Amino acid sequence: MNSELKSHKKMEPGGLTEPASSLKNKTGSWRSMRPKWDAKKCVHCMFCAVYCPDNCILAKKGKRTETDLNYCKGCGICANVCPVNAIKMVKEHEGGKK
Amino acid sequence: MKTHITFQNKLIVKKIGAPRKKIPHDIKKKTMLALTGGEAAAMAMKQVNPDVAAVYPITPQTPIMAAFSNYWADGAVNTEMIHVESEHSAMSACVGASAAGARVMTATASVGLALMFEILPVASGTRLPIVMNIANRALSAPINIHCDYSDTMATRDQGWIQIYSENAQEVYENTLLAVKLAESINLPAMVCQDGFLTSHSIENIIVYPDDIIRKFLGTRKPYRPLLDVKNPVTYGPLQLQNYYFETKKQVEDAMNKAKKEYLIVGKSLKKITGTDYEYFESYFLEDAEYAIITMSSTAGTTKVVVDKLRAQGKKVGLLKIKLYRPFVYEEYGKALIHLKGIAVLDRSLTIGAECPIYTDIKSTLFNMYVNAKKKFEIPKLQSYTYGLGGRDIFESDIESVFEELEKGKLSNEKKYIGLR
Amino acid sequence: MNNPDNTISIVIHGRGGQGAKTAAMLLAEVAISLGRYAQAFPEYGPERSGAPVKAYIRISDKAIRTHQPIINPDIVIIIDDSLLDFISVTDGIKPDSTIVINTNNSEVTKKKLKLPKGFFGKIAVVNATAIALERIGANKSNTATLAATLKVMDFIKFNEFQQEAKSILIHKLGKEKTDQNMLAIKDAFEEVKVI
């Protein structure tokens, strides 16, 4: 986040800010579970990509690619909807029960 | 980094049908016309030729947009007219269009303005120079379609410039002035006229040539418009406790800057019209002992009474407010301190407290007194509420007010004119 | 009539939908086109067809600044004589004011008018409804009654009124209706009688 707080005389008027500033906020940093994708089992149906609430699963040339872990919050919806169980949620950090 | 986006394409007037009334599409030279206040606002809008007008009808504003729609239908303007489903949507659409970089105008009244209330500070907080014509009408309940200022007075704190017009001529000129003023400081502006009394009343009005007015208006040079895709920007962010305060202070600073800019734009318009655009009109005020402070059409009626009483040797005068927000306390103070008695006529209530204009004038006098190097006798001040819901005010009522001022029967207790 | 700046104030009484407001606006437009100052505005009660409607017009040599309703009219024009049973049309009239009424029974109508003591002004009657029905084919008697007024009180020259009214009406109504109205205007001007 922007830490330098300017005087009202130097700030941009009207609250205008740079575009796409939400990209700077890497919401994956507070994840406790992460999705593990088995590319061999995957049938590229794109269910996971459509359901992901953070748009973290993208496709290239009609095939699913790796989850963007910068923004993935580990909600588990992708694992939940996968029809072939190609995605498993695993712990982000070691320690504690499963 | 600033950039220009030219919106106003070359104007091609296609006469699809005959004009509805004897109101010409093209004004080639200074002309005297017979127009209602509503048609005068529409004529100004025609000459401005805004890029976008998002509108929703409401009595008594409807004739403004109906007349403007005639120009639009006949191709005399190339405005994009958006017919929305409510006033809230109208202002929302205006905000979007203005953020994109367009010159935007609209009109409303009364409960329509109340419905748009949420978006009014959005327009000022986002620094968008939207210009809105208001045909002042009472707020409900009870439902009333006639003139009082409860609608715009309720919005006076929201960062919109407010200018009040006495007659159709002033509506026309104030609208043109407001467009330039709003853009000079990036704040939205309201141009107000009395609902029905001015908006539906035919009067003489002089209109100026299209090309000269268009030259005066120029084109808008928007600051970081959304349509400048090479320099993208985010509009309308969340600002938490650490930013909001500063952004609002910027709005205040801009509003204060409007005091100076109003006079500058006015001087420029004077070159075309010959009229002086001051903060307020002083009618026989300089050597008066007693004065009435009021706005809009009531000021016209008061002028007739001032003339009558002056002929009888009474030293009376009128101060007619034009620029209400920003309120130029010091200027009002200088004009008023010599008076013995002042009656402030408010056409709206601040329920639970003193009336709006009365409060501002009281502050003015207090400021003057506290900061005066040489102490003076503060003029006696009397608050009046009149004309709510379109209750008529007569010359005889105004005469009675001057009589009461002379008798000195003034107090902190508000009086009412024409109340049963 | 000795009014300052040759100001003349007129009240038109009608019912909603009969064109009282339109007549007032037309008269103001004509006056302004002829280089005078004018002001015309309606006073509405409930906005519905048939409800009594008043329209005010001021015509003057100088700019008109007052906005109060007209209390002491110089001329009172009544487009619908059935109003006489419901409202008082003579409130505030001066001893020398002029009253113009659209009626087909002048005897009965004159009795219904509540004239103040000392009134010596003119009362003029014209059967504008009959004229309108004949010439326009509808009971649009406002223009005819207006024309009759100009015969009785010539604050605007009739031929100038005809010229300006024609050019204003043609934009509003088209050629056919305008020609019909112009005929009605001419008839009313000729037929109006002072009683």
Side-chain angles (χ1 to χ4, degrees):
Chain A
M1 292 286 271
N2 205 348
S3 53
E4 214 213 86
L5 297 174
K6 299 192 185 130
S7 129
H8 71 274
K9 294 191 184 143
K10 299 220 176 84
M11 269 168 52
E12 268 299 87
L16 301 191
T17 54
E18 75 240 71
S21 51
S22 57
L23 286 173
K24 286 188 190 163
N25 192 11
K26 302 223 189 290
T27 50
S29 56
W30 58 80
R31 189 174 49 234
S32 29
M33 300 289 284
R34 79 154 67 183
K36 195 162 159 219
W37 172 54
D38 189 342
K40 291 194 207 85
K41 276 195 191 166
C42 182
V43 296
H44 301 279
C45 67
M46 300 305 172
F47 266 39
C48 57
V50 163
Y51 275 93
C52 173
D54 274 315
N55 206 25
C56 288
I57 305 172
L58 301 171
K60 216 174 187 175
K61 290 185 188 163
K63 290 208 177 218
R64 186 220 200 266
T65 54
E66 283 285 357
T67 308
D68 185 346
L69 291 173
N70 282 320
Y71 303 100
C72 168
K73 292 195 199 72
C75 70
I77 288 176
C78 55
N80 196 289
V81 301
C82 180
V84 298
N85 287 318
I87 306 175
K88 241 201 202 137
M89 298 307 289
V90 299
K91 275 190 290 179
E92 179 71 18
H93 309 287
E94 286 309 316
K97 305 233 158 140
K98 179 212 181 247
Chain B
M1 190 179 122
K2 296 186 186 181
T3 187
H4 299 336
I5 291 199
T6 319
F7 270 85
Q8 298 192 309
N9 305 313
K10 194 153 172 253
L11 191 54
I12 306 163
V13 180
K14 298 173 280 180
K15 292 232 175 100
I16 296 170
R20 299 297 149 128
K21 251 183 124 161
K22 203 178 167 188
I23 306 173
H25 277 133
D26 307 320
I27 311 288
K28 293 210 169 67
K29 54 182 168 74
K30 182 171 157 186
T31 320
M32 171 81 85
L33 294 176
L35 296 179
T36 61
E39 287 163 356
M43 173 62 78
M45 285 180 73
K46 176 198 90 84
Q47 293 189 320
V48 171
N49 189 16
D51 300 302
V52 172
V55 286
Y56 190 82
I58 183 171
T59 304
Q61 165 277 105
T62 314
I64 300 177
M65 294 318 293
F68 183 69
S69 302
N70 276 342
Y71 291 126
W72 171 76
D74 289 340
V77 288
N78 39 23
T79 306
E80 184 76 34
M81 280 196 75
I82 313 177
H83 300 96
V84 288
E85 69 277 14
S86 80
E87 286 87 351
H88 185 276
S89 304
M91 187 47 68
S92 303
C94 287
V95 164
S98 191
R103 200 173 243 175
V104 181
M105 293 179 79
T106 185
T108 194
S110 176
V111 290
L113 183 62
L115 187 58
M116 331 178 143
F117 183 86
E118 180 197 353
I119 315 292
L120 297 178
V122 171
S124 63
T126 313
R127 307 294 301 281
L128 301 171
I130 300 167
V131 174
M132 177 156 63
N133 272 102
I134 305 279
N136 285 111
R137 165 188 149 179
L139 290 173
S140 308
I143 304 178
N144 179 295
I145 56 169
H146 293 282
C147 176
D148 75 30
Y149 307 136
S150 51
D151 54 1
T152 47
M153 284 301 173
T155 60
R156 68 195 194 271
D157 295 338
Q158 297 318 318
W160 281 65
I161 295 163
Q162 291 190 338
I163 304 175
Y164 286 82
S165 320
E166 180 188 332
N167 51 35
Q169 187 72 50
E170 286 200 0
V171 173
Y172 169 70
E173 292 172 7
N174 286 340
T175 306
L176 300 171
L177 195 156
V179 170
K180 280 220 85 173
L181 175 60
E183 288 173 10
S184 71
I185 47 161
N186 282 320
L187 277 184
M190 289 181 201
V191 177
C192 310
Q193 62 177 293
D194 282 356
F196 282 108
L197 298 171
T198 309
S199 68
H200 284 58
S201 175
I202 277 198
E203 293 173 13
N204 295 61
I205 166 176
I206 296 177
V207 296
Y208 298 92
D210 288 342
D211 56 351
I212 294 183
I213 295 293
R214 294 216 168 106
K215 197 157 157 232
F216 159 77
L217 293 166
T219 50
R220 178 182 177 202
K221 295 175 177 55
Y223 179 68
R224 302 186 74 183
L226 283 169
L227 284 179
D228 181 8
V229 294
K230 292 207 186 96
N231 297 291
V233 62
T234 293
Y235 264 79
L238 170 72
Q239 280 195 342
L240 294 171
Q241 300 95 314
N242 55 356
Y243 275 95
Y244 180 91
F245 203 170
E246 281 71 26
T247 304
K248 283 303 190 191
K249 173 70 165 69
Q250 290 174 331
V251 175
E252 246 196 345
D253 288 347
M255 183 60 94
N256 283 326
K257 200 167 155 225
K259 295 176 192 177
K260 197 168 125 200
E261 290 296 325
Y262 174 87
L263 294 177
I264 294 174
V265 176
K267 275 207 181 75
S268 182
L269 187 57
K270 180 179 175 174
K271 294 197 187 119
I272 303 172
T273 64
T275 316
D276 276 307
Y277 297 97
E278 295 158 338
Y279 299 124
F280 49 82
E281 188 183 332
S282 300
Y283 191 72
F284 285 100
L285 194 64
E286 289 79 12
D287 69 335
E289 291 176 340
Y290 304 101
I292 284 181
I293 299 181
T294 188
M295 305 196 294
S296 297
S297 69
T298 311
T301 311
T302 307
K303 285 181 191 172
V304 173
V305 176
V306 167
D307 284 352
K308 179 178 172 188
L309 294 178
R310 278 274 173 175
Q312 295 171 9
K314 303 220 166 109
K315 294 187 134 182
V316 295
L318 159 75
L319 187 149
K320 178 187 96 187
I321 297 176
K322 293 178 72 174
L323 182 72
Y324 184 60
R325 282 290 180 268
F327 195 78
V328 288
Y329 291 90
E330 223 184 277
E331 306 296 331
Y332 282 100
K334 285 190 215 148
L336 296 171
I337 50 171
H338 66 282
L339 295 162
K340 284 189 186 160
I342 303 172
V344 181
L345 270 51
D346 269 288
R347 200 167 197 161
S348 62
L349 293 172
T350 301
I351 302 177
E354 291 172 339
C355 286
I357 305 175
Y358 176 72
T359 308
D360 288 331
I361 297 294
K362 209 181 224 185
S363 293
T364 300
L365 294 174
F366 177 86
N367 292 348
M368 289 297 292
Y369 189 78
V370 159
N371 295 317
K373 291 198 179 78
K374 190 171 140 200
K375 290 301 173 212
F376 59 91
E377 177 124 20
I378 297 187
K380 291 207 165 60
L381 204 57
Q382 176 65 56
S383 173
Y384 288 88
T385 293
Y386 77 98
L388 297 187
R391 175 66 54 90
D392 288 317
I393 181 147
F394 293 89
E395 290 166 23
S396 51
D397 296 321
I398 308 276
E399 261 193 76
S400 307
V401 169
F402 276 124
E403 236 172 90
E404 285 175 5
L405 280 176
E406 243 187 312
K407 289 202 182 115
K409 290 194 288 187
L410 312 179
S411 72
N412 286 335
E413 276 222 41
K414 187 170 70 157
K415 295 194 185 166
Y416 299 83
I417 301 179
L419 176 72
R420 291 190 299 272
Chain C
M1 192 150 321
N2 262 329
N3 285 335
D5 304 324
N6 287 321
T7 304
I8 203 158
S9 41
I10 306 166
V11 176
I12 302 182
H13 290 272
R15 289 184 185 273
Q18 286 178 340
K21 176 196 164 189
T22 309
M25 303 302 225
L26 176 65
L27 193 56
E29 268 196 271
V30 168
I32 294 174
S33 304
L34 293 172
R36 309 204 43 212
Y37 287 89
Q39 180 195 67
F41 53 104
E43 188 179 277
Y44 299 103
E47 288 176 276
R48 60 174 170 85
S49 283
V53 155
K54 270 200 262 191
Y56 301 109
I57 312 130
R58 291 184 170 100
I59 300 176
S60 173
D61 289 342
K62 279 216 181 118
I64 299 161
R65 297 165 304 167
T66 191
H67 273 82
Q68 68 169 18
I70 295 176
I71 312 172
N72 306 115
D74 297 306
I75 306 176
V76 178
I77 303 176
I78 301 141
I79 296 180
D80 185 338
D81 60 353
S82 71
L83 283 171
L84 296 174
D85 294 322
F86 295 99
I87 59 169
S88 170
V89 297
T90 48
D91 285 341
I93 59 166
K94 306 182 198 176
D96 61 348
S97 294
T98 301
I99 306 176
V100 180
I101 316 175
N102 167 24
T103 181
N104 62 351
N105 192 334
S106 8
E107 289 298 312
V108 175
T109 300
K110 191 171 182 184
K111 288 204 187 89
K112 287 192 191 166
L113 280 173
K114 298 185 197 86
L115 295 167
K117 272 207 181 117
F119 178 78
F120 61 87
K122 293 186 220 172
I123 303 175
V125 292
V126 61
N127 194 346
T129 304
I131 294 170
L133 284 169
E134 195 196 313
R135 294 297 191 180
I136 306 172
N139 184 5
K140 297 277 180 197
S141 40
N142 56 345
T143 43
T145 320
L146 205 57
T149 311
L150 289 172
K151 179 81 177 281
V152 184
M153 286 279 298
D154 64 343
F155 55 96
I156 290 182
K157 289 204 182 69
F158 186 64
N159 60 334
E160 288 181 349
F161 170 78
Q162 280 179 302
Q163 228 178 326
E164 290 301 328
K166 188 166 184 186
S167 68
I168 292 167
L169 288 172
I170 203 146
H171 285 288
K172 211 178 152 71
L173 306 172
K175 190 173 188 311
E176 196 190 330
K177 285 274 173 236
T178 302
D179 288 341
Q180 291 171 346
N181 267 288
M182 297 315 293
L183 288 169
I185 286 172
K186 192 157 172 286
D187 283 354
F189 188 77
E190 281 160 14
E191 289 177 29
V192 62
K193 274 204 264 301
V194 175
I195 56 170

